[in-house]
Amino acid sequence: MSLYTDYLNEIETRKGEGLNPKPIDDGALVGELIEQIKDTGNAEREASLNFFIYNTLPGTTSAAGVKAAFLKEIILGQASVAEISVEFAFELLSHMKGGPSVKVLLDLALSDDAAIAAQAAEVLKTQVFLYEADTARLDEAYKAGNAVATDILESYAKAEFFTKLPEVEEEIKVVTYIAGVGDISTDLLSPGAEAHSRADRELHGKCMITPEAQVEIQELQKQHPDARVMLIAEKGTMGVGSSRMSGVNNVALWTGKKASPYVPFINIAPVVAGTNGISPIFLTTVGVTGGIGIDLDNWVKKLDADGNVVEDEDGEAVLEEAYSVATGTVLTINSKTKTLHDADGKELKSVAAAFTPQKVEFMKAGGSYAVVFGKKLQTFAAAALGQELKSAYAPSKEITVDGQGLTAVEKIFNRNALGSTPGAVLHAGSDVRVKVNVVGSQDTTGPMTAQELEAMAATVISPSVDVGYQSGCHTASVWDKKAQANIPKLMKFMNDFGLITARDPKGEYHAMTDVIHKVLNDITVDDWDVIIGGDSHTRMSKGVAFGADSGTVALALATGEASMPIPESVKVTFKGKMADHLDFRDVVHATQAQMLDQHGDNVFQGRVIEVHIGTLLADQAFTFTDWTAEMKAKASICISNDDTLIGSLELAKSRIQVMIDKGMDNEAQLLAGLIAKADKRIADIKSGANPALTPDDTANYFAEVVVDLAAIDEPMIADPDVNNDDVSKRYTHDTIRPVSYYGGDKKVDLGFVGSCMVHKGDMKIVAQMLKNLEKTMGKVEFNAPLVVAAPTYNIVDELKEEGDWEILEKYSGFEFDDLFPKTQARTEYENIMYLERPGCNLCMGNQEKAAKGDTVLATSTRLFQGRVVGDLPEKKGESLLASTPVVVLAAVLGRTPTLEEYKAAVEGIDLTKFAPPLAVPSTTKSAHF
């Protein structure tokens, strides 16, 4: 059996699933194709030729290396293929994006054959994905007097690879498709349960929205062949939730343009829109593909004759339609005037925010990567030639307000800015290339990040990045055949690339399935750091962290930088005294509720929440910063006291040392370097040379929110409100209710304590509550299943040392076993407590799931429809979010508790103690410390 025969067998299998042949990334298979192409009498020659030309992945895949080498042979006359002329061979090389193809083009351009060198040079002038080894060859040849190298550099210095591209069309005709009413989660576009297939773009595309929706989109395309389908979130925000490149990829697959005729299933330039705009992370991802994101504002608050907002009986603003975007509506976007028009030419609104100079450049270049690499390439060429750089790109917007101080995020961006005007002090709205210190890749988007790295011809992590980490948490629950096929391959790629990996490809250290956000929070060792992570919950309590799509993660790994405007900030402070019976999670939920009460609209959306939380260590502060993803914030920054920050850094050092002791450090000793960096930061704080990050007193904020702790008198629950008559109000994180709202009789089918929202203190609270309940009830009996998943192994180890794990074991009916991990997802739950493997578990929804139609009470983060629990025809599944003690008690009772029952159950338990940071507490007995 040959690789080719195996491939044909796979093709037959895919045919049965309605799929085309899978794109080829294996160089050995391409080698077999070439042999069959050379054999003019081979029965498989035509098919092999077709696979070689149209179905071989570009970049740094082994397949691309073999393909590029064979094209070089054709160009040099060492091989002859009637269907591939020299000109066509060059064209194929031009679509391979870098890596082996650029090496071949440089070989040819710097060769002694003048005719071939000239042709190769013309192709090279269109390429932007060059790395140091490539530019060094050009520089060396130029210095040696090579005329072709000089010609190429002069072209690069003018950025002709960009300037000669077609301009964005002036009029862009679109036809609307309502993907849903209310906020549209990326889970609708790329379900977590289908995460295993994300690297197989055609297969994964089958899961977008519904098969019926896909047919409707195709029908619109047939009816309007001259228009692009614009996917819309009616009365909501498009792309909330996880930072999924796969979601944008799916939208582009169904509605975008083909990136290259020689690369299958890679589409670009989708058009997406929302009544309330696009989620910040999703909008960044749209830019990666050169797409368009429109804020429609097509529903507005109704005003009375006096100009006052009209409210309904619930006190909610009544909305009225400013213009219709019903499915099938034809609209026109004018990219020059930056306006949206109806079919009759009437102007509906400005869309200037979608057509900033930078975003137009992304559209023209076919995506943001090409612009990033293009700027670097032009800068290099100008320096090599000794010329003044005359950038072909729009100047970065630099906003400086005299006399205005800096917010925390403005300070971090100014400290880490790359390529900005020397000495300039930049405020919010400024476009900045910023140095990235920590990069995290998670395991369900990681295969796509690996593909993106291959596509941009990257081979090693940028030396300017302090550390990169590849997690294994999203596939921790079930080690099934899909995980066994995907994860080891991913870990080897990332380990070879230079990342610290959760699983050791050599098998020498224990597999770590720790939740990525927790690990990133531990390995961030400077409050001035910039962190990029492949998940929307990349929200550290040190530094500023941005959740990003898999492509932006790849770009950060390859280049050590990211580009974005400095976000506006909302300042959050606290007053009053927190009641002893409340958990800090209640403060987190109350912040959302009080913000809405104070401002009416969600002022957090798209902005940085600067939370002055001061007296909580990094683990506990992370509970707040983590939740800011659900607040629709772009990021969060924790303003900490000096002593508290030192304590957090010492904790981080101890956990990094655990990773080193396990054998997780690599040859570059990135983890050891983090400990050294933490020591320096601690020394700078203690000496006063550089105290903990604080904003300036004269900083300007978009809004300020003051959370009154005294106003929180009972546990708070975030409710998806699945039966709200207004569909747009369902599955948001804005409905926050006190536990008494449920009257102590709302049935709970499953409790879940786990995800990135909990930490060691939560696990200790579970143990303490179970002991309490046994004393008061005589025996603990669960009336609903309780799933408990510690976020990290070090927490489990610490609980074992301190005796709490033994208590949890006593009450559990199931305990994970790393020697025999589950190979099948759990489909039915008994009324017992399950001690599950550290990782995301139910929160991710791609492996474990509650039974359809269940009511789940959880500590996790997601209210999305179908994420934790699916629907039944007769009953919607719902996942309500609460603190650990509420969840534990509800699982024991089988229902939501009354306030009196709750207070009795937590009596004597030292829950999170938090007060506004007026003074640093010298000691605490809190379980959270």
Side-chain angles (χ1 to χ4, degrees):
M1 293 287 286
S2 69
L3 292 174
Y4 182 72
T5 304
D6 292 341
Y7 187 52
L8 293 181
N9 290 336
E10 181 190 75
I11 289 171
E12 287 303 311
T13 301
R14 289 174 69 88
K15 273 185 186 177
E17 300 169 355
L19 298 169
N20 289 286
K22 193 173 182 178
I24 299 168
D25 61 2
D26 184 357
L29 175 55
V30 176
E32 290 191 17
L33 296 179
I34 291 170
E35 291 306 311
Q36 292 175 171
I37 291 169
K38 289 178 178 178
D39 180 3
T40 56
N42 193 296
E44 296 295 330
R45 184 179 183 279
E46 184 178 349
S48 298
L49 189 64
N50 190 64
F51 292 141
F52 178 83
I53 294 172
Y54 298 104
N55 215 47
T56 302
L57 287 176
T60 55
T61 63
S62 63
V66 177
K67 181 175 181 176
F70 185 54
L71 292 173
K72 180 182 179 182
E73 290 178 13
I74 292 173
I75 291 168
L76 292 175
Q78 297 167 356
S80 177
V81 178
E83 296 85 351
I84 303 178
S85 65
V86 170
E87 290 73 18
F88 189 34
F90 274 120
E91 182 180 350
L92 290 174
L93 285 169
S94 75
H95 285 259
M96 292 179 66
K97 295 187 73 170
S101 61
V102 165
K103 181 182 182 302
V104 164
L105 288 167
L106 283 168
D107 289 345
L108 298 171
L110 302 178
S111 70
D112 295 331
D113 189 317
I116 287 176
Q119 285 180 279
E122 290 306 306
V123 176
L124 270 172
K125 291 175 186 178
T126 67
Q127 304 297 295
V128 293
F129 292 102
L130 276 71
Y131 286 84
E132 284 76 8
D134 305 316
T135 54
R137 287 186 69 186
L138 277 174
D139 192 33
E140 183 181 348
Y142 163 70
K143 288 175 179 174
N146 186 293
V148 173
T150 304
D151 181 45
I152 294 169
L153 286 175
E154 287 175 347
S155 176
Y156 286 166
K158 298 172 188 173
E160 290 181 340
F161 45 75
F162 175 73
T163 60
K164 289 188 174 182
L165 293 172
E167 297 297 326
V168 175
E169 59 264 49
E170 182 171 347
E171 289 197 344
I172 303 166
K173 187 176 178 181
V174 298
V175 58
T176 62
Y177 182 77
I178 304 295
V181 178
D183 289 350
I184 290 184
S185 150
T186 48
D187 230 44
L188 182 70
L189 308 175
S190 170
E194 303 298 326
H196 64 90
S197 66
R198 285 178 180 155
D200 186 344
R201 294 199 184 197
E202 184 192 16
L203 173 59
H204 194 66
K206 300 282 187 182
C207 71
M208 189 185 83
I209 313 178
T210 62
E212 293 77 15
Q214 295 162 18
V215 171
E216 290 166 358
I217 289 169
Q218 289 175 319
E219 286 300 316
L220 284 174
Q221 291 167 332
K222 290 176 185 175
Q223 295 167 18
H224 304 277
D226 58 338
R228 292 156 71 178
V229 174
M230 179 165 72
L231 215 64
I232 295 175
E234 177 79 308
K235 291 188 179 179
T237 304
M238 172 63 78
V240 298
S242 297
S243 50
R244 292 199 182 139
M245 188 79 196
S246 53
V248 174
N249 282 346
N250 278 352
V251 176
L253 187 66
W254 287 102
T255 69
K257 302 175 179 177
K258 195 169 173 60
S260 165
Y262 310 113
V263 184
F265 310 118
I266 296 180
N267 284 15
I268 59 173
V271 185
V272 295
T275 291
N276 299 328
I278 318 293
S279 170
I281 302 170
F282 199 76
L283 188 57
T284 299
T285 314
V286 171
V288 167
T289 65
I292 303 172
I294 301 290
D295 192 348
L296 291 171
D297 292 324
N298 58 309
W299 287 88
V300 297
K301 292 178 181 178
K302 186 176 181 179
L303 305 178
D304 62 21
D306 297 323
N308 299 314
V309 175
V310 178
E311 295 182 346
D312 61 19
E313 57 187 19
D314 296 322
E316 299 282 351
V318 174
L319 301 179
E320 59 182 359
E321 194 174 44
Y323 61 94
S324 175
V325 292
T327 293
T329 302
V330 176
L331 303 170
T332 301
I333 302 168
N334 190 301
S335 66
K336 301 302 180 190
T337 60
K338 303 177 183 179
T339 49
L340 180 68
H341 301 259
D342 65 16
D344 297 323
K346 177 186 175 183
E347 183 178 323
L348 300 175
K349 74 177 302 285
S350 168
V351 291
F355 288 90
T356 64
Q358 285 73 27
K359 289 178 181 177
V360 171
E361 287 174 347
F362 296 165
M363 297 172 203
K364 177 178 177 178
S368 57
Y369 299 167
V371 172
V372 171
F373 277 84
K375 287 179 178 179
K376 293 182 72 164
L377 191 54
Q378 186 184 18
T379 301
F380 152 74
L385 294 170
Q387 298 177 359
E388 178 186 354
L389 175 65
K390 296 180 180 178
S391 179
Y393 299 91
S396 296
K397 185 195 300 182
E398 294 189 349
I399 298 173
T400 300
V401 183
D402 291 339
Q404 180 177 304
L406 298 174
T407 64
V409 73
E410 288 169 341
K411 283 191 171 184
I412 293 174
F413 269 61
N414 275 276
R415 167 78 68 87
N416 292 284
L418 301 170
S420 57
T421 302
V425 177
L426 306 177
H427 287 89
S430 300
D431 294 312
V432 177
R433 284 172 48 222
V434 63
K435 180 185 183 299
V436 175
N437 305 94
V438 179
V439 185
S441 169
Q442 54 104 324
D443 42 321
T444 55
T445 59
M448 298 170 57
T449 298
Q451 282 186 339
E452 297 289 343
L453 288 168
E454 287 178 329
M456 64 178 71
T459 56
V460 65
I461 190 171
S462 169
S464 67
V465 174
D466 291 334
V467 66
Y469 177 74
Q470 173 61 59
S471 82
C473 56
H474 287 66
T475 53
S477 303
V478 184
W479 192 236
D480 57 16
K481 290 182 179 179
K482 295 168 183 174
Q484 292 170 35
N486 293 334
I487 303 306
K489 180 180 177 183
L490 169 66
M491 294 295 167
K492 184 179 188 313
F493 178 95
M494 290 301 189
N495 199 276
D496 291 345
F497 198 82
L499 280 71
I500 305 298
T501 52
R503 290 180 179 273
D504 183 7
K506 303 179 186 70
E508 293 175 5
Y509 59 77
H510 181 275
M512 303 288 281
T513 56
D514 297 353
V515 176
I516 181 173
H517 327 301
K518 287 293 189 186
V519 178
L520 294 183
N521 203 43
D522 286 338
I523 64 177
T524 298
V525 292
D526 194 329
D527 47 333
W528 292 84
D529 276 357
V530 177
I531 305 100
I532 296 290
D535 195 287
S536 61
H537 283 266
T538 304
R539 310 277 169 141
M540 306 304 98
S541 52
K542 303 183 289 289
V544 63
F546 299 94
D549 58 87
S550 57
T552 301
V553 169
L555 195 65
L557 287 171
T559 67
E561 62 182 68
S563 299
M564 67 184 85
I566 302 178
E568 295 176 304
S569 294
V570 176
K571 184 177 183 179
V572 174
T573 55
F574 302 87
K575 68 176 184 179
K577 183 178 184 300
M578 183 176 171
D580 289 341
H581 63 275
L582 297 177
D583 185 82
F584 187 66
R585 179 71 182 250
D586 301 316
V587 175
V588 173
H589 288 318
T591 299
Q592 181 87 343
Q594 292 191 25
M595 175 274 294
L596 291 169
D597 286 343
Q598 291 173 30
H599 294 279
D601 294 322
N602 185 357
V603 295
F604 292 151
Q605 183 165 349
R607 301 183 177 94
V608 170
I609 299 176
E610 184 185 285
V611 55
H612 291 244
I613 214 165
T615 57
L616 287 180
L617 288 174
D619 275 14
Q620 298 80 55
F622 182 68
T623 303
F624 189 101
T625 56
D626 194 29
W627 179 257
T628 62
E630 311 316 323
M631 296 175 181
K632 299 183 183 177
K634 188 173 182 66
S636 178
I637 296 180
C638 176
I639 305 301
S640 185
N641 294 342
D642 282 357
D643 289 348
T644 307
L645 179 57
I646 290 172
S648 294
L649 293 174
E650 291 290 359
L651 181 62
K653 283 173 55 184
S654 69
R655 290 183 174 164
I656 294 168
Q657 187 60 53
V658 169
M659 296 172 73
I660 294 173
D661 293 343
K662 288 179 183 289
M664 296 180 71
D665 212 352
N666 58 9
E667 289 183 10
Q669 293 192 303
L670 296 184
L671 294 177
L674 293 179
I675 290 181
K677 182 177 176 179
D679 284 334
K680 183 180 186 308
R681 183 71 189 104
I682 290 169
D684 285 347
I685 296 169
K686 287 181 175 179
S687 70
N690 186 13
L693 171 68
T694 56
D696 292 331
D697 292 337
T698 54
N700 183 62
Y701 296 92
F702 177 83
E704 296 193 29
V705 175
V706 179
V707 180
D708 186 357
L709 299 174
I712 316 167
D713 58 0
E714 57 180 300
M716 308 296 286
I717 292 178
D719 193 322
D721 209 9
V722 299
N723 296 310
N724 194 309
D725 291 337
D726 185 344
V727 178
S728 69
K729 302 277 177 62
R730 300 175 190 169
Y731 305 106
T732 75
H733 288 75
D734 293 343
T735 303
I736 308 293
R737 291 169 169 156
V739 72
S740 60
Y741 172 88
Y742 303 94
D745 58 9
K746 183 176 179 65
K747 185 175 184 295
V748 172
D749 299 299
L750 179 72
F752 172 48
V753 175
S755 87
C756 49
M757 287 294 289
V758 299
H759 48 87
K760 177 182 171 182
D762 290 277
M763 300 296 112
K764 295 179 80 71
I765 287 172
V766 175
Q768 291 169 336
M769 282 199 69
L770 292 173
K771 288 196 297 183
N772 264 20
L773 291 168
E774 184 174 31
K775 286 180 183 178
T776 58
M777 297 178 172
K779 180 182 180 183
V780 175
E781 290 186 352
F782 291 94
N783 283 288
L786 177 63
V787 177
V788 177
T792 65
Y793 276 95
N794 62 18
I795 287 174
V796 173
D797 292 341
E798 290 168 19
L799 292 174
K800 287 178 178 178
E801 290 175 10
E802 296 165 17
D804 297 280
W805 192 258
E806 184 179 341
I807 297 169
L808 296 175
E809 286 179 315
K810 172 185 173 182
Y811 294 102
S812 71
F814 170 87
E815 183 178 353
F816 74 91
D817 185 347
D818 277 331
L819 295 178
F820 301 98
K822 285 186 297 183
T823 57
Q824 289 186 320
R826 197 182 302 285
T827 56
E828 295 180 359
Y829 294 84
E830 301 175 46
N831 289 346
I832 60 174
M833 183 169 75
Y834 296 84
L835 290 180
E836 295 284 2
R837 198 178 198 180
C840 299
N841 203 275
L842 282 160
C843 186
M844 181 56 194
N846 65 319
Q847 292 187 325
E848 304 284 43
K849 233 178 177 65
K852 289 184 177 181
D854 271 3
T855 293
V856 181
L857 194 62
T859 61
S860 57
T861 58
R862 296 308 197 196
L863 293 174
F864 300 156
Q865 185 174 14
R867 181 65 172 265
V868 171
V869 55
D871 295 337
L872 287 172
E874 66 276 12
K875 183 182 183 297
K876 291 182 179 295
E878 52 184 341
S879 176
L880 288 78
L881 309 180
S883 67
T884 292
V886 170
V887 173
V888 173
L889 183 55
V892 171
L893 298 174
R895 56 174 173 79
T896 52
T898 64
L899 180 57
E900 292 71 25
E901 288 171 327
Y902 169 81
K903 285 184 175 180
V906 299
E907 188 173 356
I909 298 178
D910 200 1
L911 302 173
T912 307
K913 289 295 181 289
F914 171 65
L918 303 175
V920 181
S922 57
T923 60
T924 179
K925 295 179 180 178
S926 169
H928 288 251
F929 280 82

